[in-house]
Amino acid sequence: MANPSTSLTVQFITTVQDEDGNAIDPETASLSVELDDVRNNDKSQFLFGETAWFRVFRHPSNMAITITPSDGEILNGGVDTCEKTEQVTFAGVSQVDLSAAIKSLDGVSWLGNDLGSLTLVKPSTLQLAGSHDCENNPANCVGVAQVEFTAEFLSRGLSGISRPGGVTSYPVIVHILGIVEAD
C-alpha cells in the first residue's frame, strides 16, 4: 500500500479541434484550465482521497468538452462565474488577449502610462480605443493595464485516484478536448 502522504500533482493538456479532428484557429476558439483556488483552498498538490477541483474556460460557450484523466474519475460541479484580475502589457500593439472569455468587463486601471479606454473586440481580446497608430508609432502603445473581469467556467473535479506503491509523488494528466461545431 502506498504512503498516505504521497502527493498528487495534476497537469492539464488542452486540445481544440473541429468535428473532423482538424485543429482550430485560436482566433475563433479557446480553451484554458486552471485549478480552482477557492474550492481547493489555494492547494496545488493533493493527497489520496482529496478531490482536485478545476475550472474549464471555453469559447465559444457551446463548445463540447471531453475530459479524460490518466487516473481517477471526473466529477461535475456545474457552471459558475469568477472574478479575475490580470495585468496585460501593451508593447507597440493595440490588442491583447486575456486568459479567458469575458462575461463582463468590470474595471481597467493603468499602471504608469494611461493609454485610455479598452474595447472588447473578441470574447477574450481587448483593444485600445481610439487611434493610437501602434503600427507606425509603437511608442504610443506602451503601457500596462490591470483588468478586472468576470468569466464563466465549467467546474470539474478529479477524484478516486488509485494508490500506487513505492512512489512519493504521483503525477496525473488530465486531457481536455474541445470540439467546435461547424456553423
Side-chain angles (χ1 to χ4, degrees):
M1 179 174 217
N3 180 345
S5 65
T6 299
S7 64
L8 300 169
T9 303
V10 182
Q11 178 184 357
F12 300 101
I13 299 172
T14 61
T15 306
V16 180
Q17 61 189 38
D18 66 16
E19 296 167 306
D20 296 325
N22 300 312
I24 294 288
D25 181 354
E27 295 284 322
T28 61
S30 64
L31 182 62
S32 64
V33 183
E34 65 185 37
L35 286 172
D36 189 327
D37 58 337
V38 174
R39 290 184 88 165
N40 294 326
N41 296 316
D42 290 322
K43 289 175 64 170
S44 61
Q45 289 196 332
F46 304 90
L47 299 176
F48 287 98
E50 295 180 322
T51 299
W53 290 97
F54 55 97
R55 298 171 176 177
V56 179
F57 298 93
R58 63 187 175 160
H59 171 75
S61 61
N62 66 346
M63 179 188 299
I65 301 292
T66 301
I67 303 174
T68 308
S70 62
D71 197 352
E73 64 182 348
I74 300 299
L75 305 176
N76 185 343
V79 178
D80 205 348
T81 60
C82 64
E83 285 75 39
K84 293 181 71 72
T85 301
E86 295 183 12
Q87 290 182 356
V88 293
T89 302
F90 292 86
V93 297
S94 62
Q95 290 186 355
V96 294
D97 292 321
L98 296 168
S99 66
I102 298 173
K103 187 173 177 77
S104 68
L105 182 59
D106 304 325
V108 176
S109 302
W110 288 98
L111 308 174
N113 292 339
D114 185 339
L115 302 181
S117 61
L118 297 175
T119 304
L120 184 63
V121 292
K122 295 179 187 164
S124 61
T125 303
L126 296 172
Q127 179 172 313
L128 293 171
S131 59
H132 287 273
D133 193 22
C134 298
E135 188 174 308
N136 295 318
N137 194 352
N140 288 342
C141 303
V142 177
V144 177
Q146 182 163 298
V147 179
E148 297 171 0
F149 63 99
T150 300
E152 183 178 88
F153 64 90
L154 303 174
S155 178
R156 300 296 184 261
L158 175 64
S159 183
I161 305 296
S162 61
R163 289 181 175 263
V167 297
T168 57
S169 178
Y170 189 69
V172 178
I173 306 299
V174 178
H175 179 247
I176 302 170
L177 173 63
I179 304 290
V180 179
E181 297 177 10
D183 292 334

